[in-house]
Coordinates of all heavy atoms in Angstrom, one line a residue:
M1 N -9.6 -28.5 -14.3 CA -9.3 -27.6 -13.2 C -8.5 -26.3 -13.9 O -8.7 -25.4 -13.5 CB -8.3 -28.3 -12.2 CG -8.0 -27.3 -11.1 SD -9.5 -26.9 -10.2 CE -8.7 -25.7 -9.1
L2 N -7.6 -26.6 -14.9 CA -7.0 -25.6 -15.5 C -7.9 -24.6 -16.3 O -7.6 -23.5 -16.5 CB -5.9 -26.2 -16.5 CG -4.8 -25.2 -17.0 CD1 -4.1 -24.6 -15.8 CD2 -3.9 -26.0 -17.8
R3 N -9.0 -25.1 -16.7 CA -10.0 -24.1 -17.4 C -10.5 -23.2 -16.7 O -11.1 -22.1 -17.1 CB -11.0 -25.0 -18.2 CG -12.0 -25.6 -17.2 CD -12.9 -26.5 -17.9 NE -13.8 -27.3 -16.9 CZ -14.5 -28.4 -17.1 NH1 -14.4 -28.8 -18.4 NH2 -15.0 -29.0 -16.2
Y4 N -10.5 -23.2 -15.3 CA -11.1 -22.2 -14.4 C -10.0 -21.2 -14.0 O -10.4 -20.2 -13.3 CB -11.6 -23.0 -13.1 CG -12.7 -23.9 -13.3 CD1 -12.6 -25.3 -13.0 CD2 -13.9 -23.4 -13.8 CE1 -13.6 -26.1 -13.2 CE2 -14.9 -24.2 -14.0 CZ -14.9 -25.5 -13.7 OH -15.9 -26.4 -13.9
L5 N -8.8 -21.4 -14.3 CA -7.7 -20.6 -14.0 C -7.9 -19.1 -14.5 O -7.7 -18.1 -13.7 CB -6.4 -21.1 -14.3 CG -5.2 -20.3 -13.9 CD1 -5.1 -20.3 -12.4 CD2 -3.9 -20.8 -14.5
P6 N -8.2 -18.8 -15.7 CA -8.5 -17.4 -16.2 C -9.6 -16.9 -15.4 O -9.4 -15.6 -15.1 CB -8.8 -17.6 -17.7 CG -8.2 -18.8 -17.9 CD -8.3 -19.8 -16.8
F7 N -10.6 -17.5 -15.1 CA -11.7 -16.9 -14.3 C -11.3 -16.6 -12.9 O -11.7 -15.5 -12.5 CB -12.9 -17.9 -14.4 CG -14.0 -17.5 -13.4 CD1 -14.8 -16.4 -13.7 CD2 -14.1 -18.0 -12.2 CE1 -15.9 -16.1 -12.9 CE2 -15.2 -17.6 -11.3 CZ -16.0 -16.6 -11.7
L8 N -10.5 -17.4 -12.3 CA -10.0 -17.1 -10.9 C -9.0 -16.0 -11.0 O -9.0 -15.2 -10.0 CB -9.3 -18.4 -10.4 CG -10.3 -19.5 -10.1 CD1 -9.6 -20.8 -9.6 CD2 -11.4 -19.1 -9.0
L9 N -8.2 -15.8 -12.0 CA -7.3 -14.6 -12.1 C -8.0 -13.4 -12.2 O -7.7 -12.4 -11.5 CB -6.3 -14.9 -13.1 CG -5.3 -16.1 -13.0 CD1 -4.4 -16.2 -14.2 CD2 -4.5 -15.7 -11.7
V10 N -9.0 -13.4 -13.1 CA -9.9 -12.0 -13.2 C -10.6 -11.9 -12.0 O -10.5 -10.6 -11.5 CB -10.9 -12.4 -14.4 CG1 -11.9 -11.2 -14.4 CG2 -10.2 -12.4 -15.7
L11 N -11.1 -12.9 -11.3 CA -11.8 -12.7 -10.0 C -10.9 -12.1 -9.0 O -11.2 -11.2 -8.2 CB -12.5 -13.9 -9.6 CG -13.3 -13.9 -8.3 CD1 -14.5 -12.9 -8.5 CD2 -13.7 -15.2 -7.9
A12 N -9.7 -12.5 -8.8 CA -8.6 -12.1 -7.9 C -8.3 -10.8 -8.2 O -8.2 -9.9 -7.2 CB -7.3 -13.1 -7.9
L13 N -8.0 -10.4 -9.4 CA -7.7 -9.0 -9.8 C -8.8 -8.1 -9.4 O -8.5 -6.9 -8.9 CB -7.3 -8.9 -11.3 CG -6.9 -7.5 -11.7 CD1 -5.6 -7.0 -10.9 CD2 -6.6 -7.5 -13.2
W14 N -10.1 -8.4 -9.7 CA -11.2 -7.7 -9.5 C -11.4 -7.4 -7.9 O -11.6 -6.2 -7.5 CB -12.4 -8.5 -9.9 CG -13.8 -7.7 -10.1 CD1 -14.0 -6.4 -9.8 CD2 -14.9 -8.2 -10.5 NE1 -15.2 -6.1 -10.0 CE2 -15.9 -7.2 -10.6 CE3 -15.4 -9.5 -11.0 CZ2 -17.2 -7.5 -10.9 CZ3 -16.7 -9.7 -11.4 CH2 -17.6 -8.6 -11.3
I15 N -11.2 -8.4 -7.1 CA -11.3 -8.2 -5.7 C -10.2 -7.4 -5.2 O -10.3 -6.5 -4.3 CB -11.3 -9.6 -5.0 CG1 -12.7 -10.3 -5.4 CG2 -11.2 -9.5 -3.5 CD1 -12.7 -11.8 -4.9
Y16 N -9.0 -7.7 -5.6 CA -7.8 -6.8 -5.2 C -8.1 -5.3 -5.6 O -7.8 -4.4 -4.6 CB -6.5 -7.2 -5.8 CG -5.3 -6.5 -5.5 CD1 -4.8 -6.5 -4.3 CD2 -4.8 -5.5 -6.4 CE1 -3.6 -5.6 -4.0 CE2 -3.8 -4.6 -6.2 CZ -3.2 -4.7 -4.9 OH -2.2 -3.9 -4.5
A17 N -8.5 -5.0 -6.7 CA -8.6 -3.5 -7.1 C -9.8 -3.0 -6.3 O -9.7 -1.8 -5.8 CB -9.0 -3.5 -8.6
F18 N -10.8 -3.8 -6.0 CA -11.9 -3.2 -5.2 C -11.5 -3.0 -3.8 O -11.8 -1.9 -3.2 CB -13.1 -4.2 -5.2 CG -14.3 -3.8 -4.5 CD1 -15.2 -2.8 -4.8 CD2 -14.6 -4.5 -3.3 CE1 -16.1 -2.4 -4.1 CE2 -15.7 -4.1 -2.5 CZ -16.5 -3.1 -3.0
V19 N -10.8 -3.9 -3.1 CA -10.3 -3.7 -1.7 C -9.3 -2.6 -1.6 O -9.3 -1.8 -0.7 CB -9.8 -5.1 -1.2 CG1 -9.2 -4.8 0.1 CG2 -11.0 -6.1 -1.1
D20 N -8.4 -2.5 -2.7 CA -7.4 -1.6 -2.6 C -8.1 -0.1 -2.7 O -7.6 0.9 -2.1 CB -6.4 -1.8 -3.8 CG -5.3 -0.9 -3.8 OD1 -4.6 -0.6 -2.6 OD2 -4.9 -0.2 -4.9
C21 N -9.0 -0.1 -3.6 CA -9.8 1.3 -3.8 C -10.4 1.6 -2.5 O -10.5 2.8 -2.1 CB -10.8 1.1 -4.9 SG -11.8 2.7 -5.2
L22 N -11.1 0.6 -1.8 CA -11.8 1.0 -0.6 C -10.9 1.3 0.6 O -11.1 2.3 1.4 CB -12.6 -0.1 -0.1 CG -13.9 -0.6 -0.9 CD1 -14.5 -1.7 -0.4 CD2 -14.8 0.7 -1.0
N23 N -9.6 0.8 0.6 CA -8.6 1.2 1.6 C -7.8 2.4 1.3 O -7.0 2.8 2.2 CB -7.7 0.0 1.9 CG -8.5 -1.2 2.5 OD1 -9.4 -0.9 3.3 ND2 -8.0 -2.4 2.2
T24 N -7.9 2.9 0.1 CA -7.1 4.1 -0.3 C -7.7 5.4 0.2 O -8.8 5.5 0.1 CB -7.0 4.2 -1.8 OG1 -6.3 3.0 -2.2 CG2 -6.0 5.4 -2.2
P25 N -6.9 6.2 0.9 CA -7.5 7.4 1.5 C -8.0 8.4 0.3 O -7.4 8.4 -0.8 CB -6.4 8.1 2.2 CG -5.4 7.0 2.5 CD -5.5 6.0 1.4
E26 N -8.9 9.1 0.5 CA -9.7 9.9 -0.4 C -8.6 10.9 -1.1 O -8.6 11.1 -2.3 CB -10.9 10.7 0.2 CG -11.6 11.6 -0.8 CD -12.5 10.7 -1.6 OE1 -13.0 9.6 -1.2 OE2 -12.6 11.1 -2.8
E27 N -7.7 11.4 -0.3 CA -6.8 12.4 -0.8 C -5.7 11.7 -1.8 O -5.0 12.4 -2.5 CB -6.0 13.2 0.3 CG -5.3 12.4 1.2 CD -6.0 11.9 2.4 OE1 -7.3 12.1 2.5 OE2 -5.5 11.2 3.3
D28 N -5.6 10.4 -1.8 CA -4.7 9.7 -2.6 C -5.3 9.2 -3.9 O -4.6 8.7 -4.8 CB -4.0 8.4 -1.9 CG -3.1 8.9 -0.7 OD1 -2.7 10.1 -0.8 OD2 -2.7 8.0 0.1
V29 N -6.6 9.4 -4.1 CA -7.2 8.9 -5.3 C -7.1 9.9 -6.3 O -7.3 11.1 -6.1 CB -8.8 8.6 -5.0 CG1 -9.4 8.3 -6.2 CG2 -8.8 7.6 -4.0
R30 N -6.8 9.5 -7.5 CA -6.5 10.5 -8.7 C -7.6 10.2 -9.7 O -8.2 9.3 -9.9 CB -5.2 10.2 -9.4 CG -4.0 10.4 -8.3 CD -2.6 10.2 -9.1 NE -2.7 9.0 -10.0 CZ -1.7 8.7 -10.8 NH1 -0.8 9.6 -11.1 NH2 -1.8 7.6 -11.5
G31 N -7.9 11.4 -10.4 CA -8.8 11.3 -11.6 C -10.3 11.5 -11.3 O -10.8 12.4 -12.0
M32 N -10.8 10.7 -10.5 CA -12.3 10.8 -10.3 C -12.5 10.6 -8.7 O -11.5 10.3 -8.0 CB -13.1 9.6 -10.9 CG -13.0 9.7 -12.4 SD -14.1 8.4 -13.1 CE -13.2 6.9 -12.7
P33 N -13.7 10.9 -8.2 CA -13.9 10.6 -6.8 C -13.8 9.2 -6.5 O -14.0 8.3 -7.3 CB -15.3 11.1 -6.6 CG -15.6 12.1 -7.7 CD -14.8 11.6 -8.7
K34 N -13.5 8.9 -5.3 CA -13.4 7.4 -4.8 C -14.7 6.7 -5.1 O -14.5 5.4 -5.6 CB -13.0 7.4 -3.4 CG -12.7 6.0 -2.8 CD -12.3 6.2 -1.3 CE -12.0 4.9 -0.6 NZ -11.5 5.0 0.7
L35 N -15.8 7.3 -4.8 CA -17.0 6.5 -5.2 C -17.2 6.2 -6.6 O -17.7 5.1 -7.0 CB -18.3 7.3 -4.6 CG -19.6 6.6 -4.8 CD1 -19.5 5.4 -3.8 CD2 -20.7 7.6 -4.2
A36 N -16.7 7.1 -7.5 CA -16.8 6.8 -9.0 C -15.9 5.6 -9.3 O -16.3 4.9 -10.1 CB -16.5 8.1 -9.8
W37 N -14.7 5.6 -8.6 CA -13.8 4.5 -8.9 C -14.4 3.2 -8.5 O -14.1 2.2 -9.2 CB -12.5 4.6 -8.2 CG -11.5 5.6 -9.1 CD1 -11.1 6.8 -8.8 CD2 -10.9 5.2 -10.4 NE1 -10.3 7.3 -9.8 CE2 -10.2 6.4 -10.7 CE3 -11.0 4.1 -11.2 CZ2 -9.5 6.3 -11.8 CZ3 -10.2 4.3 -12.3 CH2 -9.5 5.4 -12.7
V38 N -15.1 3.1 -7.4 CA -15.7 1.9 -7.0 C -16.9 1.4 -7.9 O -16.7 0.1 -8.3 CB -16.4 2.2 -5.5 CG1 -17.2 0.9 -5.2 CG2 -15.3 2.3 -4.5
F39 N -17.5 2.3 -8.5 CA -18.5 1.9 -9.6 C -17.8 1.5 -10.8 O -18.3 0.5 -11.4 CB -19.5 3.0 -9.9 CG -20.5 3.2 -8.6 CD1 -20.7 4.4 -8.0 CD2 -21.4 2.2 -8.3 CE1 -21.6 4.6 -7.1 CE2 -22.3 2.4 -7.4 CZ -22.4 3.5 -6.7
V40 N -16.9 2.1 -11.2 CA -16.1 1.7 -12.4 C -15.5 0.4 -12.3 O -15.7 -0.7 -13.1 CB -14.9 2.7 -12.7 CG1 -14.1 2.1 -13.7 CG2 -15.6 4.0 -13.2
I41 N -14.9 0.0 -11.0 CA -14.3 -1.3 -10.8 C -15.4 -2.4 -10.8 O -15.3 -3.5 -11.3 CB -13.5 -1.3 -9.5 CG1 -12.2 -0.4 -9.6 CG2 -13.2 -2.7 -9.0 CD1 -11.6 -0.2 -8.3
L42 N -16.5 -2.0 -10.1 CA -17.5 -3.1 -10.0 C -18.2 -3.3 -11.4 O -18.5 -4.4 -11.7 CB -18.6 -2.6 -9.0 CG -18.1 -2.7 -7.5 CD1 -19.3 -2.2 -6.6 CD2 -17.7 -4.1 -7.1
L43 N -18.6 -2.3 -12.1 CA -19.3 -2.3 -13.4 C -18.5 -2.9 -14.5 O -18.9 -3.7 -15.3 CB -19.8 -1.1 -13.8 CG -20.9 -0.5 -13.0 CD1 -21.2 0.9 -13.4 CD2 -22.1 -1.4 -13.0
F44 N -17.1 -2.6 -14.6 CA -16.3 -3.1 -15.7 C -15.2 -4.1 -15.1 O -14.2 -4.4 -15.9 CB -15.5 -1.8 -16.3 CG -16.6 -0.9 -16.9 CD1 -16.8 0.3 -16.2 CD2 -17.3 -1.2 -18.0 CE1 -17.6 1.2 -16.9 CE2 -18.2 -0.4 -18.6 CZ -18.3 0.9 -17.9
G45 N -15.5 -4.7 -14.0 CA -14.5 -5.7 -13.5 C -14.4 -7.0 -14.3 O -13.4 -7.6 -14.3
E46 N -15.6 -7.4 -14.9 CA -15.6 -8.8 -15.5 C -14.7 -8.6 -16.7 O -14.1 -9.7 -17.1 CB -17.0 -9.1 -15.9 CG -17.1 -10.5 -16.3 CD -18.6 -10.9 -16.4 OE1 -19.5 -10.2 -15.7 OE2 -18.9 -11.7 -17.2
V47 N -14.6 -7.6 -17.3 CA -13.8 -7.4 -18.6 C -12.4 -6.8 -18.4 O -11.7 -6.4 -19.3 CB -14.6 -6.6 -19.7 CG1 -15.7 -7.4 -20.2 CG2 -14.9 -5.3 -19.2
L48 N -12.1 -6.7 -17.1 CA -10.8 -6.2 -16.6 C -10.5 -4.7 -16.9 O -9.5 -4.2 -16.6 CB -9.7 -7.0 -17.1 CG -9.4 -8.4 -16.6 CD1 -8.3 -9.0 -17.2 CD2 -9.2 -8.4 -15.1
V49 N -11.4 -4.0 -17.4 CA -11.2 -2.6 -17.8 C -11.1 -1.8 -16.4 O -10.3 -0.8 -16.1 CB -12.3 -2.0 -18.7 CG1 -12.2 -0.5 -18.8 CG2 -12.3 -2.6 -19.9
G50 N -12.1 -2.1 -15.6 CA -12.2 -1.3 -14.3 C -10.9 -1.4 -13.4 O -10.3 -0.5 -12.9
P51 N -10.6 -2.7 -13.0 CA -9.5 -2.9 -12.1 C -8.1 -2.5 -12.8 O -7.3 -1.8 -12.1 CB -9.5 -4.4 -12.0 CG -10.9 -4.9 -12.2 CD -11.4 -3.9 -13.3
V52 N -7.9 -2.6 -14.1 CA -6.7 -2.1 -14.7 C -6.7 -0.7 -14.7 O -5.6 -0.1 -14.4 CB -6.6 -2.8 -16.1 CG1 -5.4 -2.1 -16.9 CG2 -6.4 -4.3 -16.0
A53 N -7.8 0.0 -15.0 CA -7.9 1.4 -15.0 C -7.5 2.1 -13.6 O -6.8 2.9 -13.4 CB -9.2 1.9 -15.5
W54 N -8.0 1.3 -12.5 CA -7.8 1.8 -11.2 C -6.2 1.6 -10.9 O -5.6 2.4 -10.3 CB -8.6 1.0 -10.1 CG -8.1 1.1 -8.8 CD1 -7.4 0.1 -8.1 CD2 -8.2 2.2 -7.9 NE1 -7.0 0.6 -6.8 CE2 -7.5 2.0 -6.8 CE3 -8.7 3.5 -8.1 CZ2 -7.4 2.8 -5.8 CZ3 -8.5 4.4 -7.0 CH2 -7.9 4.0 -5.9
L55 N -5.7 0.5 -11.2 CA -4.3 0.2 -10.9 C -3.3 1.2 -11.6 O -2.3 1.5 -11.1 CB -3.9 -1.2 -11.1 CG -4.6 -2.3 -10.2 CD1 -4.3 -3.7 -10.7 CD2 -4.3 -2.1 -8.9
I56 N -3.7 1.5 -12.9 CA -2.9 2.5 -13.6 C -3.1 3.9 -13.4 O -2.1 4.7 -13.2 CB -3.1 2.2 -15.2 CG1 -2.5 0.7 -15.5 CG2 -2.3 3.3 -16.0 CD1 -2.8 0.2 -16.9
A57 N -4.4 4.4 -13.3 CA -4.7 5.7 -13.3 C -5.3 6.2 -12.0 O -5.4 7.4 -11.7 CB -5.6 6.1 -14.5
G58 N -5.9 5.4 -11.3 CA -6.7 5.8 -10.0 C -6.0 6.0 -8.8 O -6.1 6.9 -8.1
R59 N -5.1 5.2 -8.5 CA -4.3 5.4 -7.2 C -3.0 6.1 -7.4 O -2.4 6.0 -8.4 CB -4.1 4.0 -6.5 CG -3.1 3.1 -7.1 CD -2.9 1.8 -6.4 NE -2.1 0.9 -7.1 CZ -1.6 -0.1 -6.6 NH1 -1.9 -0.5 -5.4 NH2 -0.8 -0.9 -7.3
A60 N -2.6 6.7 -6.3 CA -1.3 7.4 -6.4 C -0.1 6.4 -6.4 O -0.2 5.2 -5.9 CB -1.2 8.2 -5.1
R61 N 0.8 6.8 -7.2 CA 1.9 5.8 -7.3 C 2.7 5.9 -5.9 O 2.9 6.9 -5.3 CB 3.0 6.3 -8.4 CG 2.2 6.5 -9.7 CD 2.9 5.8 -10.7 NE 2.5 6.0 -12.1 CZ 1.4 5.4 -12.7 NH1 0.7 4.4 -11.9 NH2 1.2 5.7 -13.9
R62 N 3.3 4.7 -5.6 CA 4.1 4.6 -4.4 C 5.5 4.4 -4.8 O 5.9 3.4 -5.5 CB 3.5 3.3 -3.6 CG 2.3 3.5 -3.1 CD 1.7 2.3 -2.3 NE 0.4 2.4 -2.0 CZ -0.6 1.5 -2.2 NH1 0.0 0.3 -2.6 NH2 -1.8 1.7 -1.7
T63 N 6.4 5.2 -4.3 CA 7.8 5.1 -4.6 C 8.5 4.6 -3.4 O 8.2 5.0 -2.3 CB 8.4 6.5 -4.9 OG1 8.1 7.4 -4.0 CG2 7.7 7.0 -6.3
A64 N 9.5 3.9 -3.7 CA 10.4 3.2 -2.6 C 11.1 4.3 -1.9 O 11.3 4.2 -0.7 CB 11.1 2.0 -3.1
D65 N 11.7 5.2 -2.5 CA 12.6 6.2 -1.9 C 11.8 7.3 -1.2 O 12.3 7.7 -0.2 CB 13.5 6.9 -2.9 CG 12.7 7.6 -4.1 OD1 11.4 7.3 -4.1 OD2 13.2 8.3 -4.8
G66 N 10.5 7.6 -1.6 CA 9.8 8.5 -0.8 C 8.9 7.9 0.3 O 8.3 8.7 1.1
A67 N 8.9 6.6 0.4 CA 8.1 5.9 1.3 C 8.5 6.3 2.9 O 7.6 6.5 3.7 CB 8.0 4.4 1.2
A68 N 9.8 6.2 3.1 CA 10.2 6.6 4.5 C 10.0 8.2 4.8 O 10.0 8.3 6.1 CB 11.7 6.2 4.6
D69 N 10.0 9.0 3.8 CA 9.9 10.3 4.2 C 8.4 10.8 4.5 O 8.2 11.9 4.9 CB 10.4 11.3 3.1 CG 11.8 11.0 2.8 OD1 12.6 10.6 3.7 OD2 12.3 11.2 1.6
A70 N 7.4 10.0 4.3 CA 6.1 10.4 4.5 C 5.8 10.6 6.0 O 6.1 9.7 6.8 CB 5.1 9.4 3.9
P71 N 5.2 11.7 6.4 CA 5.0 11.8 7.8 C 3.9 10.8 8.2 O 3.0 10.5 7.5 CB 4.4 13.3 7.9 CG 3.9 13.7 6.5 CD 4.8 12.8 5.6
G72 N 4.1 10.3 9.4 CA 3.1 9.4 10.1 C 3.3 8.0 9.7 O 2.5 7.1 10.0
R73 N 4.2 7.7 8.8 CA 4.4 6.4 8.2 C 5.4 5.6 9.2 O 6.3 6.2 9.6 CB 5.0 6.4 6.8 CG 5.3 5.1 6.3 CD 5.4 5.2 4.7 NE 4.2 4.4 4.3 CZ 3.7 4.4 3.1 NH1 4.2 5.3 2.2 NH2 2.9 3.6 2.8
W74 N 5.1 4.4 9.4 CA 5.8 3.6 10.3 C 7.2 3.1 9.7 O 7.2 2.7 8.5 CB 5.1 2.3 10.7 CG 5.7 1.6 11.7 CD1 5.8 1.7 13.0 CD2 6.6 0.4 11.5 NE1 6.6 0.7 13.7 CE2 7.0 -0.2 12.8 CE3 6.9 -0.4 10.4 CZ2 7.8 -1.3 12.9 CZ3 7.6 -1.4 10.5 CH2 8.2 -1.9 11.8
I75 N 8.3 3.3 10.4 CA 9.5 2.9 9.9 C 10.1 1.9 10.9 O 10.0 2.0 12.0 CB 10.5 4.1 9.9 CG1 9.9 5.3 9.0 CG2 11.9 3.7 9.4 CD1 10.8 6.5 9.1
A76 N 10.6 0.8 10.3 CA 11.2 -0.2 11.0 C 12.5 0.2 11.9 O 13.2 1.2 11.5 CB 11.8 -1.3 10.1
P77 N 12.6 -0.1 13.1 CA 13.6 0.4 14.0 C 14.9 0.5 13.5 O 15.8 1.3 13.7 CB 13.4 -0.5 15.3 CG 12.0 -1.1 15.2 CD 11.8 -1.2 13.8
D78 N 15.3 -0.7 12.7 CA 16.7 -0.8 12.1 C 16.9 0.3 11.1 O 18.0 0.5 10.6 CB 17.0 -2.0 11.7 CG 16.2 -2.7 10.8 OD1 15.0 -2.2 10.7 OD2 16.4 -3.7 10.0
D79 N 15.9 0.9 10.4 CA 15.9 1.9 9.4 C 15.7 3.3 9.9 O 16.0 4.2 9.2 CB 15.0 1.5 8.4 CG 15.2 0.3 7.6 OD1 16.3 -0.1 7.6 OD2 14.3 -0.3 7.1
N80 N 15.5 3.4 11.2 CA 15.0 4.8 11.8 C 16.3 5.3 12.4 O 16.8 4.9 13.5 CB 13.9 4.5 12.8 CG 13.4 5.9 13.3 OD1 13.9 6.9 13.2 ND2 12.2 5.8 13.8
P81 N 16.8 6.4 11.8 CA 18.0 7.0 12.4 C 17.8 7.5 13.9 O 18.7 7.4 14.6 CB 18.4 8.2 11.5 CG 17.3 8.3 10.5 CD 16.3 7.1 10.7
E82 N 16.5 8.1 14.2 CA 16.4 8.5 15.4 C 16.5 7.4 16.5 O 17.0 7.7 17.6 CB 15.1 9.2 15.5 CG 14.9 10.5 14.7 CD 13.6 11.2 14.6 OE1 12.7 10.6 15.4 OE2 13.4 12.0 13.8
F83 N 15.9 6.3 16.1 CA 15.9 5.2 17.1 C 17.4 4.7 17.3 O 17.8 4.4 18.4 CB 15.0 4.0 16.6 CG 15.2 2.8 17.5 CD1 14.5 2.8 18.7 CD2 15.8 1.7 17.0 CE1 14.5 1.7 19.5 CE2 15.9 0.6 17.7 CZ 15.2 0.6 18.9
L84 N 18.1 4.6 16.2 CA 19.5 4.1 16.3 C 20.4 5.2 17.2 O 21.2 4.7 18.0 CB 20.1 4.0 14.9 CG 19.5 3.0 14.1 CD1 20.1 2.8 12.8 CD2 19.6 1.5 14.8
K85 N 20.2 6.5 17.1 CA 20.9 7.4 17.9 C 20.4 7.3 19.4 O 21.3 7.4 20.2 CB 20.4 8.8 17.5 CG 21.1 9.2 16.3 CD 20.7 10.7 15.8 CE 21.2 11.0 14.4 NZ 20.6 12.2 13.8
S86 N 19.1 6.9 19.6 CA 18.7 6.9 21.0 C 19.4 5.6 21.7 O 19.7 5.6 22.9 CB 17.2 6.6 21.1 OG 16.7 5.4 20.7
L87 N 19.6 4.5 20.8 CA 20.4 3.4 21.4 C 21.9 3.8 21.8 O 22.4 3.3 22.8 CB 20.4 2.4 20.3 CG 19.1 1.5 20.1 CD1 19.2 0.4 18.9 CD2 18.6 1.0 21.3
N88 N 22.4 4.5 20.9 CA 23.8 5.0 21.2 C 23.8 5.8 22.5 O 24.7 5.7 23.4 CB 24.4 5.8 20.1 CG 25.8 6.0 20.2 OD1 26.5 5.2 21.0 ND2 26.3 6.9 19.5
K89 N 22.8 6.7 22.8 CA 22.8 7.4 23.9 C 22.5 6.5 25.2 O 23.2 6.8 26.3 CB 21.7 8.4 23.9 CG 21.9 9.5 22.9 CD 20.8 10.5 22.8 CE 21.0 11.5 21.8 NZ 19.8 12.3 21.5
D90 N 21.8 5.5 25.1 CA 21.5 4.6 26.2 C 22.8 3.8 26.6 O 23.1 3.6 27.7 CB 20.4 3.6 25.8 CG 19.1 4.4 25.7 OD1 18.9 5.5 26.4 OD2 18.1 3.8 25.2
D91 N 23.5 3.4 25.6 CA 24.7 2.8 25.8 C 25.7 3.6 26.5 O 26.5 3.1 27.3 CB 25.4 2.2 24.5 CG 24.5 1.0 23.8 OD1 23.8 0.6 24.6 OD2 24.8 0.8 22.6
L92 N 25.8 4.8 26.2 CA 26.8 5.7 26.9 C 26.4 6.0 28.3 O 27.3 6.0 29.2 CB 26.8 7.1 26.1 CG 27.4 7.0 24.7 CD1 27.4 8.4 24.2 CD2 28.9 6.5 24.9
K93 N 25.1 5.9 28.6 CA 24.7 6.0 29.9 C 24.9 4.9 30.9 O 25.1 5.0 32.0 CB 23.1 6.5 30.1 CG 22.8 7.8 29.5 CD 21.3 8.0 29.4 CE 20.9 9.2 28.9 NZ 19.4 9.4 28.8
D94 N 24.8 3.8 30.3 CA 25.0 2.5 31.1 C 26.5 2.1 31.3 O 26.7 1.4 32.2 CB 24.1 1.2 30.4 CG 22.7 1.5 30.3 OD1 22.2 2.3 31.2 OD2 22.0 0.9 29.5
D95 N 27.3 2.5 30.4 CA 28.6 2.1 30.5 C 29.3 2.9 31.7 O 29.2 4.1 31.8 CB 29.5 2.5 29.3 CG 29.0 1.5 28.1 OD1 28.5 0.5 28.4 OD2 29.4 1.9 27.1
P96 N 29.9 2.1 32.6 CA 30.7 2.8 33.7 C 31.9 3.5 33.2 O 32.6 2.9 32.3 CB 31.0 1.7 34.7 CG 31.0 0.5 33.8 CD 30.0 0.7 32.7
K97 N 32.3 4.7 33.7 CA 33.4 5.4 33.1 C 34.6 4.9 33.7 O 34.7 4.5 34.9 CB 33.3 6.8 33.6 CG 32.1 7.6 33.0 CD 32.1 9.0 33.2 CE 30.8 9.5 32.5 NZ 31.0 10.8 32.1
P98 N 35.6 4.5 32.8 CA 36.8 4.0 33.3 C 37.6 5.0 34.2 O 37.7 6.1 33.9 CB 37.7 3.7 32.1 CG 37.0 4.6 30.9 CD 35.6 4.8 31.4
E99 N 38.3 4.5 35.3 CA 38.9 5.4 36.2 C 40.4 5.3 35.9 O 41.1 4.4 35.5 CB 38.6 5.2 37.6 CG 37.2 5.4 37.8 CD 36.9 5.0 39.2 OE1 37.7 4.8 40.1 OE2 35.6 4.9 39.5

């Protein structure tokens, strides 16, 4: 069973790079057109050149600090300052004023 492990790891990386390339928006692909990257991954996937090239040079780098600043990106409610401010406003409206 252990002798199949390298083959399975190569296959997993090949599939991951292929699916990641297909799911990446066209404007985030670097170096070549998206269709060219798909062919590179499929043709050179068995020797790991295609998937590794995609992971290093093909897709845009994702940074943790810039992830929340991207427009249209979903932010968890506990990390969203606008949501937290709206909670504070709701609490002030619901509290009866002391007399």
Side-chain angles (χ1 to χ4, degrees):
M1 182 67 185
L2 194 55
R3 65 181 173 203
Y4 297 118
L5 185 62
F7 173 74
L8 292 175
L9 290 176
V10 169
L11 183 65
L13 182 63
W14 195 357
I15 292 171
Y16 173 77
F18 180 68
V19 171
D20 187 46
C21 182
L22 291 178
N23 288 332
T24 301
E26 185 73 37
E27 60 270 3
D28 291 343
V29 176
R30 299 185 310 168
M32 296 187 292
K34 186 175 178 178
L35 187 61
W37 276 114
V38 169
F39 283 122
V40 167
I41 291 169
L42 290 177
L43 291 175
F44 300 107
E46 192 172 333
V47 291
L48 288 181
V49 173
V52 171
W54 165 253
L55 294 174
I56 292 174
R59 68 177 179 171
R61 303 233 192 277
R62 297 180 187 134
T63 58
D65 56 348
D69 297 336
R73 179 160 241 161
W74 185 81
I75 301 173
D78 57 342
D79 293 334
N80 189 343
E82 295 174 11
F83 177 75
L84 295 174
K85 287 177 187 174
S86 72
L87 288 178
N88 191 18
K89 290 177 186 176
D90 290 341
D91 288 343
L92 294 176
K93 289 179 185 177
D94 292 339
D95 289 340
K97 297 188 181 208
E99 295 178 17

